[in-house]
Amino acid sequence: MNRRTLLTSAAFAAAVPAFPSMPAFAQTAAAPGDAEKKHADETKKVGSLSLAASRVAVEKASGPMIKEFAKWEVAEQETIADILKSMETDGKAEGALKPPTESEVEAMLDADGKSSLDKLKATAGKDFDKAYVTAQLDGHKKLLTIQEDYLKVGQNREHLSVTKLARGQVKEHIDHLDMLKSKVG
């Protein structure tokens, strides 16, 4: 099964209320609080830079493995951004993915993120591939710390479930990026 499909399915399953006839599962989740807001904001900030850089890499990467990773990263970051956004609203859940627009992604970047993205855009060829992989590896290490920090203090069941899934994906990506880094030098 495609791991993105698995991630999306598991996130959906975590967000669906338990059936009332299943008392062992019929618990109410804690309302999102400060820890959840902090986690979502930090994840969106770092994830937005990863998404923006990966959207660029889909076009500019010279190595086919780098380009493939960038495509996966775009799909995953768009999904995570959509999930986090939907968790912040009280509206009805929807099955359709609504990826963030370029302007929404740029709005999430701080000055350092914008500067990093501009530097990346200014490179080409193998230098681009190296810079992209290095930036993704650094960003994924930050994302892992954010997920693990939240898992220590989180209280919202759905938010915790999504975070556990995200942490697993981030760990996978770090391994993959380490391999890519060894290939690009």
Side-chain angles (χ1 to χ4, degrees), residues 99-164:
T101 64
E102 290 296 322
S103 61
E104 289 172 324
V105 172
E106 287 180 24
M108 289 298 303
L109 300 178
D110 60 12
D112 289 339
K114 289 176 184 176
S115 175
S116 295
L117 187 60
D118 289 342
K119 287 177 188 173
L120 184 66
K121 287 178 179 179
T123 61
K126 292 194 184 290
D127 289 338
F128 176 87
D129 290 357
K130 269 185 179 179
Y132 172 72
V133 169
T134 299
Q136 287 297 306
L137 192 52
D138 292 345
H140 278 75
K141 288 176 182 177
K142 288 177 188 172
L143 281 169
L144 182 58
T145 299
I146 292 166
Q147 306 321 300
E148 290 179 341
D149 287 350
Y150 172 71
L151 289 170
K152 294 174 188 171
V153 299
Q155 297 294 311
N156 180 280
R157 178 184 58 213
E158 287 78 14
H159 205 96
L160 283 164
S161 297
V162 169
T163 302
K164 288 174 187 175

Side-chain angles (χ1 to χ4, degrees), residues 3 11 13 22 28 30 32 35 45 67 69 87 92 126 128 174:
R3 64 186 170 123
M22 300 173 69
T28 53
K45 178 182 163 186
K67 197 173 282 261
F69 179 85
M87 292 173 77
K92 183 179 177 185
K126 292 194 184 290
F128 176 87
I174 289 171

Side-chain angles (χ1 to χ4, degrees), residues 67-86:
K67 197 173 282 261
E68 188 69 21
F69 179 85
K71 288 178 189 176
W72 294 338
E73 188 65 15
V74 166
E76 185 170 78
Q77 288 300 329
E78 287 178 348
T79 301
I80 292 294
D82 183 57
I83 290 168
L84 290 174
K85 185 175 182 180
S86 74

